[in-house]
Amino acid sequence: MPDAPVVLRVENLSLTLGGKAILHNVSFHLHGGEYVCLVGANGSGKTTLLRCLIGYCGSYTGRILWWGQCRSTISQRYLARRVAYVPQGEGRSAPFSVVDFVMLARYPHWDLFRSPGPQDRQAVRRALQLTDSEHLAERVVGSLSGGERQRVCLAAALAQEAEVLLLDEPTTFLDYRHQEDLRRLLTRFNRECGVTILAVTHDLNAAVLSGERVLALRDGQLAFQGAPTELMCPDVLKRIYAAELILTPHPTAQLPMVLPSVPGELS
Amino acid sequence: MKRADLLLIWVLLMAVAALAVAPWIGPKMLSPSLLWSNEDALDATILRGIRLPRVLTAFVAGAALALGGMTFQALFRNPLATPYTLGLAGGASFAAALAIQLGLSTSFLGLSSVSLAAFAGACGVILLVFALTRMRADFSTATLLLAGVALGFFFSSMILAMQYLSDPTRTFHMLRWMMGGLEGTAGYRDLWAVLVPAAPAAAMLAALRNEMNLLTLGEEWAVGRGVALVRTKALLLGLVGWMVASVVAICGPIGFVGLIVPHICRLLVGPDHRRLFPVTLAFGGTFLVICDTAARTVLAPTEIPVGIITSLLGGPFFLWLLIRQSPSGSSL
């Protein structure tokens, strides 16, 4: 969607932690209504990049502009009304019931004198419906299975009613069926509601099938950005992962897919 | 959630009952006839001038310590956190011991030099902690916790050194102060000295209940939901520090209230701070009123330091808590 307004613009973002450059000169932008996947090897800086975008990081150099406004000048609460971030692995041992947990995501819409009202309750109900987790409403979050928690965390992000979703590995811990369900849900949200999505994933096949555009990080630098078809060629993948991957066409989507190699078979 | 609301009402009623009954109990049991007859002027003075302000001071102090513990347990996401976790009691005790050792006798607004020194010491520790967080922007709460423990040890060895070098009378005075208690409180002046600084801080903490809820879910999660992390953490630290410093200055470092009361309340009404806050306030106050009543009654006319009573009740409870706690640490 090249004509859509630019939601996020990142310019020359660099971040150093403990003398080590985690991100180096990363520049990209996000258009409204895009579904972008962020891939890269372990430790390549994907999570740190998302944290910088939401404002949970040390001091960085470069610029992060949300709707043309510098991130550091936007209040966290205002940002949360428009951008929902689902981190990896946090909030999982929460002692709250699912419905209370999801309700807490309505926080940016409250002020000092406004407590949860009918509008908030409706948003929570809708988010639980969409993520197929209404039956979990009275369960304690800490007692859920990994997949159930993942869905409940996404429900919280949906209840926040933001225009942009930043997701850190939303499909980890999910079985095949729930991975499919979640991707279908995200795609639906993206297409029907115009929600902009930036999702970190390790699943290249899923990224290629659902993302309109892929960003790839390698050692803190943007190693690739472009269409999924351009990503799936041996040279590019070798540059990103420093590994030889087996590619084969998807039977219906006609896109190259990555296959695991047979253990013990030398390449 | 009907049960939790009933429990809230139950705890509030218990607090009212404790406040109503405690002033009549003590080394000299007072007769309820004081309410309608004026014949015993001495008893009336004991009730209104001594017992009532002391019971109210105990309530305010207990409530403030319990709220401080509750807030720190949420902030540090650690069930073992207490209001003294950052070395606040250590700093206050050290400054109080120093005042005793130097025999300072200045007073301000009717407050003793020991109280003033303890308040200054506690505030000094808060400022030190703030300076530490300023020094490195990426100071995690876990690091802060360790820094607080280190500060506490540093101060206790300074106190030990001072006690070792001091004469026995002063050493005893220092030791007695550090046990904490309310027998040194004098009338309404000390009540105001605790209430006036603590009440606004508690009111501001009440406004941050949603933030505390989100912080228990993890910092990253809280940021993603719109909590201004740095500002909120600094505010919580500052408010609890200020509130607890004013309690410690008057009552000494009374232990265990700030640790066990929030846990009991969480078991009663669950982790939601919107409900946990009023319950902890009422229960903390009630608990210290009961402990203080026992402290001045059980061995009358001798008083037991209330810190001993709270710890006597707190120790076994703590062990029970450790034993029943599930491996996932879901008690918080």
Side-chain angles (χ1 to χ4, degrees):
Chain A
M1 261 182 250
D3 301 331
V6 173
V7 163
L8 168 72
R9 188 180 291 282
V10 176
E11 293 170 358
N12 301 322
L13 180 68
S14 297
L15 180 92
T16 309
L17 279 179
K20 188 176 178 285
I22 308 292
L23 293 172
H24 186 68
N25 259 337
V26 175
S27 298
F28 67 94
H29 54 262
L30 221 56
H31 291 283
E34 261 193 316
Y35 189 156
V36 176
C37 290
L38 178 59
V39 301
N42 292 118
S44 58
K46 305 184 295 292
T47 297
T48 310
L49 179 58
L50 283 198
R51 284 180 178 171
C52 284
L53 299 181
I54 199 69
Y56 183 68
C57 60
S59 51
Y60 55 82
T61 58
R63 297 210 297 169
I64 297 171
L65 302 166
W66 283 107
W67 294 278
Q69 239 186 314
C70 190
R71 220 268 308 133
S72 52
T73 64
I74 310 172
S75 88
Q76 197 68 44
R77 191 187 284 254
Y78 177 75
L79 188 63
R81 270 181 228 152
R82 304 187 74 175
V83 183
Y85 168 50
V86 179
Q88 214 185 333
E90 267 210 355
R92 294 184 196 288
S93 60
F96 290 91
S97 73
V98 167
V99 66
D100 287 346
F101 176 79
V102 176
M103 180 60 91
L104 275 172
R106 298 289 299 166
Y107 169 80
H109 300 280
W110 303 332
D111 56 38
L112 201 56
F113 303 103
R114 230 203 94 199
S115 46
Q119 206 185 335
D120 300 301
R121 275 189 286 277
Q122 203 197 327
V124 169
R125 207 177 310 124
R126 186 165 153 264
L128 288 176
Q129 260 167 21
L130 283 168
T131 50
D132 189 23
S133 37
E134 288 160 294
H135 60 291
L136 304 172
E138 295 305 323
R139 294 265 302 275
V140 173
V141 176
S143 74
L144 301 176
S145 76
E148 288 168 336
R149 275 177 229 182
Q150 198 70 42
R151 275 186 290 152
V152 165
C153 286
L154 189 73
L158 297 183
Q160 207 169 320
E161 291 182 330
E163 304 152 51
V164 182
L165 288 180
L166 302 178
L167 308 170
D168 200 350
E169 299 197 27
T171 50
T172 18
F173 306 119
L174 299 187
D175 59 41
Y176 280 112
R177 198 202 112 200
H178 283 112
Q179 280 188 32
E180 288 283 314
D181 286 353
L182 189 112
R183 274 199 297 273
R184 202 167 295 133
L185 177 72
L186 290 178
T187 305
R188 213 183 104 199
F189 247 74
N190 172 247
R191 300 222 174 113
E192 289 172 20
C193 315
V195 173
T196 313
I197 298 175
L198 176 61
V200 166
T201 180
H202 275 298
D203 190 341
L204 275 177
N205 294 340
V208 163
L209 290 173
S210 52
E212 294 161 355
R213 199 151 65 89
V214 179
L215 301 175
L217 282 174
R218 159 111 209 238
D219 297 331
Q221 298 188 32
L222 204 60
F224 170 87
Q225 65 171 316
T229 41
E230 295 165 39
L231 173 77
M232 290 312 230
C233 74
D235 291 349
V236 176
L237 290 176
K238 189 163 185 189
R239 204 168 70 220
I240 297 167
Y241 290 100
E244 301 278 356
L245 299 171
I246 304 167
L247 291 173
T248 184
H250 189 283
T252 56
Q254 304 308 323
L255 278 161
M257 296 280 107
V258 172
L259 282 185
S261 64
V262 181
E265 198 178 90
L266 293 173
S267 57
Chain B
M1 279 293 154
K2 275 272 160 58
R3 183 177 162 266
D5 289 332
L6 279 176
L7 278 163
L8 170 63
I9 294 167
W10 190 78
V11 171
L12 289 176
L13 286 177
M14 204 175 64
V16 172
L19 283 174
V21 172
W24 308 89
I25 304 169
K28 185 175 197 300
M29 295 294 170
L30 302 178
S31 145
S33 67
L34 275 176
L35 283 178
W36 56 84
S37 78
N38 262 341
E39 52 196 51
D40 205 331
L42 180 66
D43 278 7
T45 310
I46 291 176
L47 181 71
R48 278 190 224 118
I50 299 170
R51 294 262 179 90
L52 199 58
R54 176 165 171 171
V55 165
L56 290 173
T57 309
F59 189 87
V60 174
L65 290 174
L67 288 178
M70 179 198 80
T71 307
F72 273 8
Q73 284 164 9
L75 178 60
F76 295 118
R77 298 183 74 202
N78 190 324
L80 303 186
T82 77
Y84 306 143
T85 292
L86 293 178
L88 204 143
S93 302
F94 171 69
L98 196 66
I100 293 167
Q101 171 66 20
L102 298 175
L104 295 178
S105 59
T106 46
S107 67
F108 177 71
L109 291 175
L111 299 171
S112 74
S113 55
V114 176
S115 283
L116 294 171
F119 187 74
C123 289
V125 169
I126 306 165
L127 292 179
L128 201 63
V129 169
F130 269 123
L132 281 174
T133 56
R134 284 274 161 189
M135 232 181 285
R136 280 185 52 184
D138 55 343
F139 230 64
S140 70
T141 39
T143 321
L144 206 59
L145 216 61
L146 287 174
V149 172
L151 271 178
F153 273 109
F154 175 78
F155 283 124
S156 45
S157 78
M158 295 281 278
I159 294 164
L160 281 178
M162 206 149 39
Q163 285 176 345
Y164 184 73
L165 297 171
S166 188
D167 61 78
T169 325
R170 282 182 173 148
T171 303
F172 181 76
H173 191 172
M174 291 173 195
L175 203 62
R176 182 61 200 82
W177 190 87
M178 280 190 284
M179 287 175 181
L182 288 130
E183 82 285 354
T185 59
Y188 290 95
R189 191 197 62 209
D190 283 344
L191 172 63
W192 298 131
V194 181
L195 187 62
V196 169
M204 285 173 81
L205 282 179
L208 292 167
R209 286 173 296 170
N210 284 319
E211 283 81 353
M212 289 185 220
N213 276 342
L214 283 164
L215 280 172
T216 57
L217 301 178
E219 290 188 354
E220 210 175 349
W221 188 265
V223 169
R225 312 283 81 73
V227 174
L229 194 64
V230 176
R231 206 179 52 206
T232 306
K233 275 162 69 177
L235 203 56
L236 291 176
L237 274 181
L239 288 172
V240 171
W242 171 258
M243 194 168 73
V244 172
S246 60
V247 171
V248 172
I250 302 301
C251 309
I254 298 171
F256 271 113
V257 182
L259 176 66
I260 66 164
V261 170
H263 282 298
I264 298 174
C265 295
R266 247 180 235 112
L267 292 175
L268 288 175
V269 298
D272 188 339
H273 287 80
R274 279 172 301 175
R275 203 174 283 114
L276 192 57
F277 188 94
V279 170
T280 304
L281 186 149
F283 198 100
T286 310
F287 180 75
L288 199 58
V289 166
I290 292 171
C291 286
D292 183 53
T293 307
R296 61 169 191 262
T297 313
V298 173
L299 288 183
T302 311
E303 281 210 13
I304 312 167
V306 75
I308 292 177
I309 306 259
T310 53
S311 304
L312 262 181
L313 291 175
F317 176 83
F318 195 55
L319 286 176
W320 174 70
L321 193 78
L322 287 177
I323 292 163
R324 78 176 288 283
Q325 191 180 34
S326 58
S328 64
S330 59
S331 81
L332 188 78

